[in-house]
Amino acid sequence: MEKIILTLFAMIICVALKAQTLYEVKYYDIDDKETYKGLFFYTDDDNCFLRCVTKPDNKGRYSYWERSYTCGFEKEDGVKYLYFVPGQNKRRDEPIIPAFCMAYSDKGEFETTTWAIFQNLEDDEILDENMQEADYFREVSLRDKDEEYFQQFYDEDEPMYKQIMSARALLLGQGSTENTVQSDPNAPTTMHFIVVAATQDATIGPSVETDLKLVRKGEQGCRQEDL
């Protein structure tokens, strides 16, 4: 499974970084009767977040929300389940934020069906009327998506959109000069790495700051080695 870093993009060999996997989500909210489409960013089990938008109104305006998630696992009646559990509501005008659930096999293969659950997972029983099958919860590649695709979810002047575009440009090798200079094949090789870190983002800033510190620590370790 290809891992793509969106808000922390690093090209480095001597440091293993936490990468983000990007998913596209679409589901129908049985509470407010709206269809939501979003991008789900998975870094690790404790650091995920979802950016969702509604369909445009008659004036072409979208509404959106963001929520942090954590990942949990559970086994029930011999079936293994993965849950993405949302953090607490921060605004009263927000819709009920669903949890997402999918079953998976011993080989780590996930079922095609993902359920959106609109109730507290700590309740004794999850009621059928509080569950809705999501249209999809599927992995997408940053390499295969263009600016127009991400403009479904972000305005062009938003910091996160700029972070995504910067990471995509680096991934595709854009921004490199067309004029190349032939180097001496026997000359020593110098390695460089580039980091783009969204440390000021209110949603994921703290976890990105931790990753950035790991990068700096790894860089110092590399300098001490005879590469």
Side-chain angles (χ1 to χ4, degrees), residues 112-150:
T112 56
T113 301
T114 299
W115 294 94
I117 303 174
F118 300 88
Q119 75 172 72
N120 192 332
L121 296 183
E122 295 181 357
D123 294 344
D124 293 335
E125 181 181 2
I126 297 177
L127 304 178
D128 291 343
E129 57 263 34
N130 293 331
M131 299 176 61
Q132 177 72 24
E133 184 177 342
D135 287 12
Y136 50 75
F137 195 112
R138 60 196 181 197
E139 186 176 356
V140 296
S141 170
L142 179 60
R143 184 189 300 276
D144 299 334
K145 301 302 181 181
D146 58 15
E147 293 86 350
E148 184 177 356
Y149 173 82
F150 290 103

Side-chain angles (χ1 to χ4, degrees), residues 79-197:
V79 180
K80 296 180 180 180
Y81 295 95
L82 177 148
Y83 288 91
F84 289 118
V85 184
Q88 295 182 348
N89 284 16
K90 297 180 180 179
R91 291 172 13 199
R92 293 184 177 181
D93 61 338
E94 284 184 333
I96 296 177
I97 309 302
F100 294 98
C101 175
M102 58 198 78
Y104 66 99
S105 68
D106 291 335
K107 296 181 180 179
E109 299 174 346
F110 288 93
E111 301 290 338
T112 56
T113 301
T114 299
W115 294 94
I117 303 174
F118 300 88
Q119 75 172 72
N120 192 332
L121 296 183
E122 295 181 357
D123 294 344
D124 293 335
E125 181 181 2
I126 297 177
L127 304 178
D128 291 343
E129 57 263 34
N130 293 331
M131 299 176 61
Q132 177 72 24
E133 184 177 342
D135 287 12
Y136 50 75
F137 195 112
R138 60 196 181 197
E139 186 176 356
V140 296
S141 170
L142 179 60
R143 184 189 300 276
D144 299 334
K145 301 302 181 181
D146 58 15
E147 293 86 350
E148 184 177 356
Y149 173 82
F150 290 103
Q151 288 168 11
Q152 297 178 90
F153 309 101
Y154 291 96
D155 293 330
E156 293 182 52
D157 59 348
E158 291 189 74
M160 189 60 181
Y161 176 82
K162 296 177 181 179
Q163 301 280 348
I164 293 172
M165 290 300 99
S166 296
R168 183 174 182 274
L170 288 170
L171 180 66
L172 297 178
Q174 298 172 359
S176 59
T177 178
E178 296 181 355
N179 298 320
T180 59
V181 178
Q182 297 295 326
S183 60
D184 181 0
N186 297 318
T189 300
T190 301
M191 295 177 58
H192 302 273
F193 69 94
I194 302 172
V195 175
V196 180

Side-chain angles (χ1 to χ4, degrees), residues 22-70:
L22 180 62
Y23 297 89
E24 184 181 47
V25 183
K26 185 178 180 182
Y27 71 91
Y28 175 74
D29 192 319
I30 58 179
D31 181 62
D32 63 14
K33 311 303 179 184
E34 287 282 356
T35 297
Y36 289 88
K37 187 175 181 180
L39 287 177
F40 190 90
F41 298 82
Y42 174 90
T43 302
D44 56 43
D45 290 351
D46 297 320
N47 296 284
C48 312
F49 79 94
L50 177 63
R51 166 80 169 215
C52 263
V53 297
T54 61
K55 293 186 297 184
D57 59 20
N58 54 9
K59 294 183 179 180
R61 295 174 302 189
Y62 293 83
S63 61
Y64 72 89
W65 54 264
E66 290 185 355
R67 181 57 51 81
S68 61
Y69 275 73
T70 57

